[in-house]
Amino acid sequence: MISWLDPQDPFPPVDRALGPASDAPGLLAASRELSPQRLLLAYRQGIFPWYSAGQPVLWWSTDPRMVLAPDALRISSTLRKTLRRTLRDPDWEIRVDDDFLAVMHACAMTPRDGQEGTWITDEIIAAYGALHRNGMAHSVESWYRGERVGGLYGVALGRMFYGESMFAHRTDASKIALAALCAFLGNHGVAMIDCQQETDHLASLGARPIARAEFVAHVRAATMQPEITPWRFDKSVLERWTASPAGPAA
């Protein structure tokens, strides 16, 4: 049985989440509301929302937890060539927070294999938009010839980043944004990106599952560190990924 949360109720301990033998491993609680304040409490405790339109807000803490160390991003030879081309081609740009809500909408509209509809509802967009306006959620965007062709968004607390979703309207456009994010976060001492759930796609990019207890302990320490400021960079952050064939996670 999961907990129903009224607006002032705290989250239950994450070890009360449903176990692997249940129909919903990792499901911890449900609530009616999704406020920015509730989101921040969740992320600081290793909890995230994931639900569909028409459902209550469902809160999860999966075990194991999928994470990506910035330096572990797996760069294929093809992607490495793409990154090199991105560096030298003025038609390509990398922008941060150019239009956070547009990135969220693009992620919501992108079809996913095995998934009907989207979990990025209007309620989700409103809540994360509020975090963005307060400097706690960011987008990284790939632009080609003045058009946004890929990107991602997530939440940043201290030296912890929680990845939420990506989209691509051009080959490797989301991977360019991810490489830029990883290089940027690595330069600022971020050791872990939360990827939430284990998938083959995330594993192919270098993500790995770790025990929930290890993840929560890392989150507790990382979110106490100073915030990253400013969130401002250009495509030069990719140089370390293309300098040699043996770059990060070659």
Side-chain angles (χ1 to χ4, degrees), residues 218-239:
H218 179 84
V219 164
R220 188 178 298 118
T223 55
M224 295 296 292
Q225 298 299 310
E227 303 292 336
I228 297 173
T229 55
W231 273 74
R232 185 175 63 245
F233 59 94
D234 57 35
K235 63 185 180 183
S236 65
V237 298
L238 295 174
E239 290 175 354

Side-chain angles (χ1 to χ4, degrees), residues 92-246:
W92 280 97
E93 297 178 78
I94 293 170
R95 302 183 190 178
V96 176
D97 295 336
D98 182 87
D99 191 335
F100 180 84
L101 293 181
V103 172
M104 288 200 72
H105 282 289
C107 289
M109 296 298 292
T110 298
R112 315 284 177 180
D113 289 341
Q115 177 180 318
E116 295 183 6
T118 180
W119 65 274
I120 305 174
T121 63
D122 290 345
E123 186 179 31
I124 287 279
I125 291 172
Y128 284 84
L131 292 187
H132 170 66
R133 290 191 294 274
N134 285 289
M136 292 176 284
H138 300 278
S139 61
V140 181
E141 308 164 22
S142 303
W143 287 70
Y144 183 71
R145 294 183 176 177
E147 179 184 359
R148 184 186 298 103
V149 293
L152 57 84
Y153 76 94
V155 174
L157 297 177
R159 288 306 196 263
M160 185 70 203
F161 189 83
Y162 306 83
E164 288 299 320
S165 190
M166 300 191 297
F167 80 95
H169 294 162
R170 187 180 176 90
T171 301
D172 286 339
S174 61
K175 293 180 181 178
I176 292 170
L178 180 59
L181 173 71
C182 286
F184 175 78
L185 293 178
N187 288 343
H188 285 84
V190 174
M192 185 182 292
I193 299 170
D194 177 26
C195 301
Q196 297 178 351
Q197 301 192 58
E198 190 172 354
T199 68
D200 291 340
H201 176 65
L202 289 169
S204 74
L205 295 174
R208 65 184 181 93
I210 64 172
R212 179 171 55 207
E214 180 183 351
F215 174 76
V216 170
H218 179 84
V219 164
R220 188 178 298 118
T223 55
M224 295 296 292
Q225 298 299 310
E227 303 292 336
I228 297 173
T229 55
W231 273 74
R232 185 175 63 245
F233 59 94
D234 57 35
K235 63 185 180 183
S236 65
V237 298
L238 295 174
E239 290 175 354
R240 66 187 293 256
W241 301 89
T242 62
S244 72

Side-chain angles (χ1 to χ4, degrees), residues 44-124:
R44 292 184 185 278
Q45 296 175 60
I47 301 165
F48 63 92
W50 186 45
Y51 63 103
S52 300
Q55 293 180 323
V57 182
L58 301 178
W59 300 95
W60 303 75
S61 184
T62 51
D63 189 12
R65 188 70 160 245
M66 200 70 163
V67 300
L68 173 65
D71 279 350
L73 178 64
R74 190 167 294 138
I75 304 292
S76 67
S77 59
T78 300
L79 178 57
R80 194 175 300 279
K81 291 177 182 177
T82 299
L83 294 176
R84 287 173 177 158
R85 185 168 60 250
T86 301
L87 277 172
R88 65 176 181 264
D89 188 343
D91 284 339
W92 280 97
E93 297 178 78
I94 293 170
R95 302 183 190 178
V96 176
D97 295 336
D98 182 87
D99 191 335
F100 180 84
L101 293 181
V103 172
M104 288 200 72
H105 282 289
C107 289
M109 296 298 292
T110 298
R112 315 284 177 180
D113 289 341
Q115 177 180 318
E116 295 183 6
T118 180
W119 65 274
I120 305 174
T121 63
D122 290 345
E123 186 179 31
I124 287 279

